[in-house]
Amino acid sequence: MNLVFLGPPGAGKGTIANKAKEILSIPHISTGDLFRSAIKNETELGKKVKTILASGELVPDSVTIDMVIERFMESDTQKGCILDGFPRTIFQADELSKIRKIDHVINFELDTSSVVKRLSGRRVCKSTGKTYHTIYNPPKIEGIDDETGEPLIQREDDKEEAILNRLKVYEEQTAPLIAYYEKLGLLRNIDASVAPELVLQELLSLLSK
Ligand code: ADP
Ligand code: AMP
């Protein structure tokens, strides 16, 4: 089964994908995570996209699509996957349709003020990518990753100026995908404002229909 998780940054796509991937036994492919890992490892791709990510702009379509195609070549994606943060433009969606049959597009619905609260409180462990929230999902010890004991960081693009830009980019370039997938009969809306366990439950019940 191939799923696309759509929705504004901070809606909880990564949080739910991390839980759902175990239950559905398919990998979670986050293009944001792939870019951050390239930046951390200082690869050619990482050097190319570092400033783009920090600003909240989108990486060019061709670069993003090539990276996804490469990821699809890995055998764990044969049974399907959860795409999180891809596609983000109509062009990416058109390209994706040529290489994968998408079963459902899950649209995480969340109002803007909640999005801002979630993004500004998000903290991550740089080495594992594990995500917390200062209020909604705090670590056991403030500022420290539960598993590695490393200090948690705030993503560069979770700082106020970049958040506002990302929301603008989302509205202009990604939100049109809602109508695009609705027209194809693939769109499934879920209420992302409730606790993660309830969001997950809604997702699983929708998939079992
Ligand atoms: P996305 O992948 O859509 O950008 P994340 O999964 O990283 O979003 O979630 C953004 C922030 O909101 C994180 O700090 C996460 O801990 C928190 N979060 C995620 N889902 C929920 C939820 N259902 N309720 C409250 N906070 C949440
Ligand atoms: P995310 O982790 O999904 O919030 O993505 C972080 C950043 O990575 C985005 O703000 C973009 O700069 C870049 N990015 C992730 N996915 C894509 C995509 N599908 N197309 C273009 N840029 C992307």
Side-chain angles (χ1 to χ4, degrees):
M1 177 164 47
N2 290 293
L3 302 178
V4 166
F5 280 10
L6 189 65
K13 302 181 296 296
T15 301
I16 301 305
N18 260 315
K19 297 176 191 290
K21 71 175 181 189
E22 311 286 347
I23 300 167
L24 302 173
S25 302
I26 47 176
H28 166 208
I29 302 179
S30 154
T31 41
D33 284 349
L34 292 174
F35 286 132
R36 279 184 291 276
S37 149
I39 292 170
K40 193 170 133 234
N41 295 324
E42 299 181 347
T43 66
E44 281 310 308
L45 172 66
K47 287 178 201 154
K48 207 185 304 182
V49 303
K50 190 173 178 181
T51 53
I52 303 179
L53 261 82
S55 71
E57 292 296 318
L58 293 186
V59 173
D61 283 338
S62 59
V63 175
T64 307
I65 290 160
D66 285 352
M67 181 180 73
V68 171
I69 289 175
E70 204 178 309
R71 181 67 183 85
F72 281 164
M73 284 174 186
E74 289 172 44
S75 59
D76 64 327
T77 69
Q78 292 307 306
K79 286 183 298 176
C81 62
I82 302 174
L83 286 169
D84 162 12
F86 180 87
R88 251 177 161 98
T89 63
I90 301 276
F91 184 80
Q92 291 179 11
D94 283 340
E95 290 302 301
L96 175 63
S97 70
K98 296 177 193 164
I99 47 178
R100 283 269 157 151
K101 184 192 163 290
I102 300 302
D103 298 288
H104 304 280
V105 175
I106 313 298
N107 182 32
F108 286 63
E109 294 188 300
L110 190 66
D111 63 273
T112 305
S113 90
S114 306
V115 160
V116 173
K117 280 185 203 143
R118 286 192 189 177
L119 288 177
S120 49
R122 176 160 63 186
R123 298 293 181 271
V124 294
C125 172
K126 202 166 181 187
S127 60
T128 66
K130 189 167 178 203
T131 302
Y132 298 85
H133 190 282
T134 49
I135 298 165
Y136 309 134
N137 178 27
K140 292 190 184 102
I141 303 167
E142 196 186 327
I144 301 291
D145 180 53
D146 291 347
E147 287 158 11
T148 63
E150 289 171 36
L152 298 175
I153 58 150
Q154 183 174 34
R155 274 169 51 173
E156 206 48 50
D157 59 351
D158 280 345
K159 296 184 178 156
E160 197 179 336
E161 198 180 321
I163 290 180
L164 298 178
N165 192 35
R166 286 161 77 206
L167 291 177
K168 187 167 158 271
V169 167
Y170 170 77
E171 284 306 327
E172 288 172 359
Q173 302 196 53
T174 308
L177 288 176
I178 296 173
Y180 174 102
Y181 281 121
E182 183 143 48
K183 218 164 165 184
L184 293 174
L186 294 175
L187 196 77
R188 319 276 179 256
N189 292 313
I190 60 172
D191 176 9
S193 70
V194 293
E197 301 69 41
L198 298 177
V199 180
L200 179 68
Q201 223 174 65
E202 194 179 344
L203 169 71
L204 297 176
S205 97
L206 184 155
L207 296 179
S208 67
K209 276 179 199 152

